[in-house]
Amino acid sequence: MATLRRRGGNQTEAEDERDACNERSELYGLDHADGEVSSGGMERAGCASKTTCIFMEWFYRLVDMIPGLSVVGDVPDEVVGRLRGFVARATTKFDISVPDHKTALRDYWDICQGELWRAGAGDADGDAAWDSAGAHVSKQWGLFGFQGTDPATDFRGGGVASLHNLLWFANSEPEAFTRLMGKTMSVQHALPFSIAGINLTMMLLHILQLTPTKTCFDKSASAHANPQSIVKLARRNFIEFLVSAGEMSHSAHEAADGSDCDARAVEAAFNRVYTVAFLILEGLWEDSAKNIMEFNTVLAKCRKIVETRLMNSATLEQFCK
């Protein structure tokens, strides 16, 4: 993750504050010339007016500074417990020796290979590579936005859930997938599609506080982190969206009885949030310097916007608009 910005030897506190204001302006789509918030910035964060986002952040920062004052309580354990089926699926480690995991990876390989042929760069040897010795290990994974020749290495962070999310995006947003994967394969400094998707899965699970072990999101603070009150409100709404989706798949009696939510219905709702987050990340990347060394900074900005949007949304449908 991105590290905190350090003050230079000649940097004054006033200059630090100015730089911080500039960062917030860039994040929320502010025009530096007149201080106005662009419509794109407001839409990303789900703000209703030009100054709402900035005011809201400072308000919750003030709330966090006052001991004993909290505007949101923790989500009851029994509510989170109803997501145990989804949690079990979402926190399963990727294991290439598990047939279902290998089948899902093969499905993703086939989809990516299809995009390679669509771009006019298909290779019959590449298509046959899966059936050769070493099976899933191939240099072509790098073309699809992985860091090396073995995608299992990258999936260690996001688990099998991150693979399912990539498949969901490819199948439910084919135009966006073709656009993003096409850039990954052919455009220098493009957003690395697959590794970006894996990081988004980890980010959303971290917002939900469902990651069983520490991840890169725990290792360092971000200069773009939201106030804790916003983080809590975002988590509460996110969990409510997932529980509501799971309840709708049950009968009225089962839902009222406090039974576990339908894991696949909850996963589908999670995937919808993931899709929106991916499109936000794409927009932020296109607005950035497109330097892979700054990816964590862009991801931190994406997280802040997603959390703010979750907080501002009363329903999943509103979040996805």
Side-chain angles (χ1 to χ4, degrees):
M1 291 300 294
T3 56
L4 287 169
R5 178 174 52 83
R6 302 298 179 93
R7 183 184 301 171
N10 297 321
Q11 187 93 341
T12 66
E13 289 187 6
E15 288 170 332
D16 264 357
E17 179 59 26
R18 179 202 62 201
D19 290 345
C21 287
N22 286 340
E23 288 175 359
R24 286 191 294 274
S25 296
E26 291 171 1
L27 176 61
Y28 290 123
L30 284 164
D31 185 322
H32 290 287
D34 57 13
E36 294 296 301
V37 181
S38 69
S39 58
M42 287 188 292
E43 289 174 1
R44 284 175 180 169
C47 294
S49 68
K50 294 182 177 181
T51 57
T52 299
C53 284
I54 300 298
F55 172 79
M56 185 167 49
E57 177 178 348
W58 281 111
F59 170 76
Y60 285 114
R61 288 199 186 283
L62 179 62
V63 168
D64 286 350
M65 291 171 60
I66 301 176
L69 179 62
S70 177
V71 295
V72 57
D74 293 330
V75 180
D77 290 341
E78 58 268 24
V79 175
V80 179
R82 298 188 62 195
L83 298 174
R84 62 175 60 92
F86 165 74
V87 172
R89 289 170 57 85
T91 57
T92 299
K93 294 181 179 180
F94 178 81
D95 185 346
I96 192 64
S97 67
V98 176
D100 287 348
H101 296 190
K102 188 172 183 178
T103 297
L105 184 62
R106 178 60 193 262
D107 289 343
Y108 189 59
W109 168 269
D110 289 342
I111 291 173
C112 293
Q113 283 290 331
E115 293 303 319
L116 200 59
W117 281 99
R118 186 196 299 271
D123 183 351
D125 291 336
D127 281 343
W130 187 276
D131 299 318
S132 65
H136 67 285
V137 177
S138 170
K139 291 182 179 180
Q140 288 196 347
W141 287 115
L143 293 174
F144 308 143
F146 287 93
Q147 297 182 94
T149 60
D150 185 354
T153 302
D154 290 327
F155 284 127
R156 282 187 306 196
V160 71
S162 58
L163 174 56
H164 291 158
N165 290 153
L166 289 170
L167 282 168
W168 168 279
F169 191 92
N171 290 317
S172 66
E173 300 289 339
E175 292 184 6
F177 174 74
T178 294
R179 179 181 68 250
L180 284 162
M181 183 58 76
K183 291 180 180 179
T184 296
M185 294 187 299
S186 61
V187 179
Q188 189 176 18
H189 307 306
L191 181 69
F193 180 83
S194 296
I195 197 65
I198 291 170
N199 273 273
L200 282 174
T201 298
M202 295 168 62
M203 181 191 84
L204 292 177
L205 290 176
H206 195 263
I207 290 174
L208 288 169
Q209 297 179 21
L210 296 181
T211 46
T213 57
K214 286 190 175 183
T215 69
C216 60
F217 292 93
D218 298 289
K219 294 178 181 178
S220 61
S222 168
H224 303 285
N226 266 318
Q228 280 303 300
S229 293
I230 290 182
V231 173
K232 289 182 179 180
L233 285 164
R235 177 178 185 254
R236 186 192 67 184
N237 285 357
F238 198 174
I239 289 175
E240 287 180 356
F241 297 165
L242 299 183
V243 170
S244 295
E247 285 179 341
M248 286 191 292
S249 66
H250 282 309
S251 68
H253 172 73
E254 289 174 320
D257 195 32
S259 60
D260 286 1
C261 295
D262 185 298
R264 293 197 178 273
V266 173
E267 185 176 339
F270 181 91
N271 286 337
R272 293 182 65 190
V273 175
Y274 172 88
T275 299
V276 173
F278 216 134
L279 297 177
I280 290 173
L281 181 63
E282 178 193 13
L284 290 172
W285 182 260
E286 291 299 320
D287 291 342
S288 73
K290 301 180 184 178
N291 182 345
I292 194 62
M293 300 303 294
E294 297 297 321
F295 174 76
N296 286 336
T297 299
V298 177
L299 185 64
K301 292 181 178 182
C302 178
R303 174 174 182 153
K304 186 167 188 176
I305 290 174
V306 169
E307 286 177 338
T308 305
R309 188 175 177 123
L310 283 167
M311 185 194 68
N312 286 330
S313 301
T315 64
L316 178 60
E317 298 301 325
Q318 184 179 351
F319 175 86
C320 294
K321 283 183 178 179

